[in-house]
Amino acid sequence: MSAVEVAVAALRAVEPEDLRVLRAIEALMARYEHVPVEAVVRASGLHPREVSYRLDRLHEMGLIRRWIGPYVGYVLRVAGHDLLALNALVKAGILEAFGKPLGVGKEADVYDALMPSGRRVAVKFHRLGRVSFRQTKRVRGYTGEGVWADWYIRSRSAAKREFKALRLAFSSSVSVPEPIARNRHVIVMGMIEGAELADVELLDPEPVLADVLLNVRKAYVGAGIIHADLSEFNIIIRPDGSVLIIDWPQFVYKDHPNALELLRRDVLNVLKFFRRRFSVVVGEDSALSFVMGLRDDVPGLYFGGSSTT
Ligand SMILES: Nc1ncnc2c1ncn2[C@@H]1O[C@H](COP(=O)(O)OP(=O)(O)OP(=O)(O)O)[C@@H](O)[C@H]1O
Ligand SMILES: [Mg+2]
């Protein structure tokens, strides 16, 4: 069972006291590498016997990890973190039912779900911080955080960043999934349909390239942001042929010290892909000037009249 499946199954079974204990462990992970039982007792305000019963249950459900050293300590497992986020989203009236995986990968798991209104949405669980031991030590060195707190903090901050980028982009009419809600490391967004550019065969590639460049321009000029990880894997071609740009956690603002370098890399990634796959050749300098808003055309591409920002 995946972490999300464990969390969804547990969501039906957890009781308020389980959640109290789980939240106490979550909060204390900032201070302890392994949260001692006494600290959970103090933070939860529950009777020690109750806490011990809840810890056994949560452990059984696969939501927390038990560590036995000089003392007994606990940390959240990924499924426990997922459960806290899902529970909050259900309580907030955002999610009602949970569906199947849409994409399960290295840095995120994406599932479909329903809102109480019946609207279909995509739920993205950020999965970061599965770092090497050396990196972990380095991170611990300056934050003082434990090994487990590391994935926890990084996944959350990736979700925060991505949600921020989606809001900025969406409100500047960049073609991105609609941001709906975020809790912890989980983002709820509009469901999109289509396939990654890497997987589609285009009969008429030029308008698609123009559409991508136009969206990069709207993000830069309109929203003041740069995707910074743009590639054929993060560009979705919808059934009607229009594009969507997804996967924004590594975005930067246009005043970032490396902004231009990152913008250039994004544009070059796209141009190289269109050249290699579709033999569409477009000048790099004019494409870059176009996305920066310094010119309104790119020789060889048609932007359909009033389309530039
Ligand atoms: N809003 C959405 N609606 C429908 N499917 C989506 C949505 N967002 C993402 N997906 C699906 O999930 C996949 C992964 O999403 P995304 O690129 O945002 O995450 P990632 O960090 O690259 O994850 P991975 O490590 O799995 O590639 C996408 O290729 C797509 O198939
Ligand atoms: Mg991706």
Side-chain angles (χ1 to χ4, degrees), residues 102-112 120-127 162 166 176-178 188-196 229 233-234 236 244 246-250:
L102 297 170
V104 173
K106 214 161 34 30
E107 301 202 314
D109 299 337
V110 183
Y111 283 74
D112 80 352
R120 273 183 83 204
V121 290
V123 183
K124 178 170 177 177
F125 296 79
H126 281 266
R127 306 281 188 224
E162 177 157 40
L166 288 177
V176 296
E178 178 184 359
V188 181
M189 58 186 151
M191 169 68 70
I192 58 172
E193 265 182 74
E196 290 177 6
D229 188 29
F233 303 104
N234 291 329
I236 302 290
L244 274 156
I246 63 165
D247 202 7
W248 290 79
Q250 61 298 305

Side-chain angles (χ1 to χ4, degrees), residues 191-238:
M191 169 68 70
I192 58 172
E193 265 182 74
E196 290 177 6
L197 173 58
D199 295 332
V200 297
E201 194 44 63
L202 296 176
L203 299 178
D204 192 12
E206 281 89 353
V208 175
L209 175 56
D211 196 0
V212 173
L213 293 179
L214 191 59
N215 277 290
V216 173
R217 173 181 166 118
K218 282 185 189 165
Y220 185 80
V221 176
I225 60 175
I226 297 157
H227 186 286
D229 188 29
L230 194 63
S231 74
E232 61 274 24
F233 303 104
N234 291 329
I235 296 171
I236 302 290
I237 309 298
R238 289 157 144 165

Side-chain angles (χ1 to χ4, degrees), residues 106-184:
K106 214 161 34 30
E107 301 202 314
D109 299 337
V110 183
Y111 283 74
D112 80 352
L114 288 178
M115 296 184 76
S117 64
R119 179 176 175 188
R120 273 183 83 204
V121 290
V123 183
K124 178 170 177 177
F125 296 79
H126 281 266
R127 306 281 188 224
L128 271 146
R130 291 168 188 175
V131 291
S132 73
F133 182 62
R134 231 176 70 228
Q135 278 172 301
T136 305
K137 257 172 81 178
R138 201 173 62 231
V139 171
R140 286 174 65 190
Y142 71 81
T143 64
E145 303 293 358
V147 174
W148 297 107
D150 181 54
W151 59 257
Y152 168 81
I153 288 163
R154 291 179 39 157
S155 302
R156 248 180 211 224
S157 93
K160 266 190 206 162
R161 287 188 61 82
E162 177 157 40
F163 197 66
K164 179 87 209 170
L166 288 177
R167 288 178 93 145
L168 289 168
F170 190 78
S171 60
S172 290
S173 325
V174 182
S175 187
V176 296
E178 178 184 359
I180 295 171
R182 179 189 70 85
N183 188 275
R184 296 177 171 81

Side-chain angles (χ1 to χ4, degrees), residues 302-308:
Y302 175 63
F303 291 95
S306 63
S307 53
T308 52

